[in-house]
Amino acid sequence: MFQAAAKAQSVASTLSQAVLLSIRHYCKKTPTKLRVSEALLGAEWGAHVKIQGWVRSIRHQKVNLFLHVNDGSSLQSLQIVAASHLNDPLLTFGSAVEVTGVLKESPHRKQPVELEADEIHVIGECNPVDFPFKIKERHSLEYIRQLPHLRCRTNAFSSLLRVRSEATTAIHSYFKENGFVQIHTPIITSNDCEGAGELFQVVPSHPENEEDENFFSVPAFLTVSGQLHLEVMSGAFTRVYTFGPTFRAENSQSRRHLAEFFMVEAEISFTQCLEDLTRVMEDMFRSATEQVMAHCAEDVDLFHKHVTPGHRSIFRVTYSEAIDILNRSSQKFAFPTNWGCDLQTEHEKYLVKHCGNIPVFVTDYPYDLKPFYARDNQDSPEHTAAAVDLLVPGVGELCGGSLREERLDLLRARYLELRHFGSVPHGGFGLGFERYLQCILGVDNIKDVIPFPRFSHSCLL
Ligand code: 4AD
């Protein structure tokens, strides 16, 4: 009896030792999963790690095989060195792989670290003949635009999307740090923001009868701007903003218009002059750009053509001064430049160039050029409104804003109710997020700065 118990105890202890040993063995063997960006930091030399990503280059030598693997976490790929017996016919440019091995200091000056592989698994095959990207070839933005399901695998577009993500965070941080409350303004609305743009109407896809076509009791549209909803909220929170998708049904094939784009809009109560708005526009622009530069320097460098305007001051001219500048120019413009005419892209481009290729605020537009909610500059000799546009190099208009007309006697029917109860002087602006990215990266076509562009007569993915 005693012997049997002792035997059982010894078996149990041997078993538990075996379990412990295998756990230890497993722990030792289980590699740490790292992102390529983490591996490249060089802090994990000697560590046994696992990397997952897509093959960006492949080179066979007598004894060794060299791969570059990218997982979207950085512009740089990680170099993998493997003995040639680890080669696999399925290991091709574009295939998805999982590599385990030991991180080592690299003998090459260009990369601090490389992965000496002990295992390579092909997780997703990629036939290089059919794959539309070819190894070592530079593909133009126009070419990759035709491949919306694959363009995120290119260096240019993945850099761009990392910058886009960082800029989004930076804009939210700016508003948070400056006491703004974020408002999720509606996407479906009956409001057209006083003709900010052409509308897309929203109707059920299968109305059972004619009445059902008006799902809401009034016609409904995709939002062209959250301004009106922000104006409501600024009447309680003082400083509010929204950052979301916006829709315009203009049939425009231009390099700076989309049917669906992202807009940053802010509304501020107790404003006294346009400076109260332009200060916020400038600070937001500068602080977002600085954060992008600090966190995505490599990605920005890939694009950089312009000197990043975030670091320079912004020039200011009134609309009347802008018209003088245009009229004194020797350049022949296609559109008229008389006082009262709207500024066209050719005028905006000229003004930015004239001011030294830096961003320019144009203020105090003719009253008739701006929507009726823009505040009347009643004491100005010419009839102007307290409205401002920010023009930037390479793009033209990036932001539009104004003080809002809060004086009841000067307002017409639509806004009356809103201005009745505790109305205060206020103003706001909207910034086209894609145009901001075009501006800081020097990208010519707006379709190249949005993950899946929507524009008239395009196919949707
Ligand atoms: O000048 P917009 O139309 O202003 C408004 O909608 C105001 N309600 C904003 C406000 O005061 N809260 O649009 C603002 C910005 C433009 O300066 C431009 O950068 C961008 O939005 N934008 C477009 N971006 C891409 N595609 C389009 N179709 C755009 N239309 C305007």
Side-chain angles (χ1 to χ4, degrees), residues 193 196 224-225 227 248 250 256-258 261 263 265-267 373 397-401 404 428-432 435 446:
C193 256
V224 286
S225 160
Q227 179 185 331
R248 306 266 167 111
E250 280 102 1
R256 43 181 225 144
H257 289 89
L258 289 166
F261 64 99
M263 191 169 12
E265 292 182 270
E267 204 66 34
Y373 57 69
E397 184 198 322
L398 173 68
C399 293
R404 316 304 191 194
F429 65 87
L431 167 144
R435 291 192 190 177
I446 197 164

Side-chain angles (χ1 to χ4, degrees), residues 5 10 18 26 40 44 72 102 131 135 202 218 224 259 274 286 320 326 335 393 431 438 455:
S10 131
Y26 177 77
L40 287 171
E44 308 272 346
V102 177
F131 194 45
I135 200 159
V202 178
V218 288
V224 286
L274 265 187
R286 196 186 294 276
S320 301
L326 296 174
F335 291 90
L431 167 144
Q438 279 188 278
F455 50 98

Side-chain angles (χ1 to χ4, degrees), residues 196-212:
E198 292 298 318
L199 299 158
F200 284 106
Q201 188 154 5
V202 178
V203 290
S205 60
H206 301 295
E208 278 173 17
N209 51 51
E210 251 177 53
E211 266 175 29
D212 283 354

